Amino acid sequence: MSTLVDIIASAGLWAAVLRIATPLIFGTLGALLCERAGVLNLGIEGIMTFGAMIGWLSVYHGADLWTGLLIAALAGGIFGLLHSALTVTLGLSQHVSGLGVTLFASSFSYYVFRLIVPVAGTPPTITPFQPIAIPGLSTLPFIGPALFTQTAPTYLAILVALVMAYIIFRTPVGLAIRMTGENPHAAEAQGVNPMKVRYGAVVAGSALMGMGGAFLTLSAFNSFFPTMVQGRGWICIALVVFASWRPGRALFGALLFAFFDAFQLRLQTAVQGVPYQIFLMTPYILSIVALAVMSRRARVPQALMQPYRRGER
């Protein structure tokens, strides 16, 4: 019991929680924005992979870190545009289109990476974002090193969550997004163009997904390998349901999963004689339990996955 208390009371654990949660925050908010407008985007895994690759590749070839993050966002937006063309304009299956985007983006990432970067025994590296100690806050006992010595993209992810919550629930743009996700015909009757809203939401949401992937190569690590996303995209899809399509809860869900993950990593070294696979699956089991409990009360946007055709009901 004392070992568990020591782990939980460690500032290093909570600092790791924020680092692990950052790509999940970006990805979950991106998926949430898409689904709030009525479009399921299962391309998130591939978009995050491509964002990780193109962001790293940009910096590797001379761009600064913020430019690399921006390029990853633009690349994610382009894949969002592709997904929108297939699902919003053509009305194709959102499941099939999303899976197609994931397969294409993941494979294209590996192809471009191997085309430009020569095969080497040791992957080439870059200098990633460095932790920023916020003056006056980073020196606070426990809280300072845990929360206020993160890299800039982590602070940006939290800011994006707060801004998105304000936009969705406090602005006319957010009202248009929610109306389109609930009843696009009613939104059209109020002068809103559901097609444009869905396009905008999917492109913007996919840009956030690309930034989530770029965090892995520009901040968490300093190199790229094709399997580095490791299913985080699918976790983000589940976290949207856990969050009941609310940005604030999405932030909490990402932090909760990150806590489980960071906790199990420390348990592996603190507890001997237990197969490490038990610890690895623990955050996923706990997340499934939390998802099952929260999803009972989740209210799905009524027009989610329903193609919109003007004049049809």
Side-chain angles (χ1 to χ4, degrees), residues 50-195:
F50 192 83
M53 187 279 300
I54 200 66
W56 177 88
L57 195 62
S58 301
V59 175
Y60 179 68
H61 282 281
D64 63 76
L65 292 167
W66 285 108
T67 301
L69 194 65
L70 177 61
I71 290 174
L74 292 174
I78 291 172
F79 280 109
L81 192 63
L82 172 62
H83 185 55
S84 296
L86 295 173
T87 59
V88 179
T89 300
L90 300 180
L92 302 180
S93 168
Q94 296 178 10
H95 293 93
V96 175
S97 173
L99 293 174
V101 169
T102 281
L103 294 173
F104 172 65
S106 299
S107 302
F108 191 54
S109 299
Y110 184 70
Y111 172 74
V112 172
F113 178 70
R114 281 304 174 210
L115 187 67
I116 298 178
V117 179
V119 178
T122 302
T125 61
I126 62 169
T127 301
F129 281 101
Q130 299 301 308
I132 298 174
I134 298 180
L137 296 177
S138 60
T139 56
L140 293 174
F142 183 77
I143 296 178
L147 304 181
F148 300 112
T149 55
Q150 300 291 329
T151 59
T154 296
Y155 299 126
L156 177 62
I158 296 173
L159 178 62
V160 169
L162 299 177
V163 171
M164 185 179 291
Y166 176 80
I167 290 175
I168 288 180
F169 295 107
R170 294 289 186 272
T171 67
V173 172
L175 178 60
I177 292 172
R178 287 185 286 123
M179 286 181 64
T180 301
E182 294 291 341
N183 190 332
H185 297 286
E188 184 182 26
Q190 296 298 317
V192 174
N193 188 326
M195 304 282 280

Side-chain angles (χ1 to χ4, degrees), residues 218-244:
L218 302 183
S219 185
F221 305 102
N222 60 0
S223 61
F224 171 78
F225 51 93
T227 59
M228 70 185 315
V229 175
Q230 293 183 328
R232 288 179 175 87
W234 309 118
I235 292 296
C236 291
I237 295 294
L239 287 176
V240 173
V241 181
F242 172 84
S244 300

Side-chain angles (χ1 to χ4, degrees), residues 237-243 286-296:
I237 295 294
L239 287 176
V240 173
V241 181
F242 172 84
L286 294 176
S287 297
I288 290 172
V289 172
L291 179 63
V293 173
M294 294 298 294
S295 62
R296 291 173 177 266

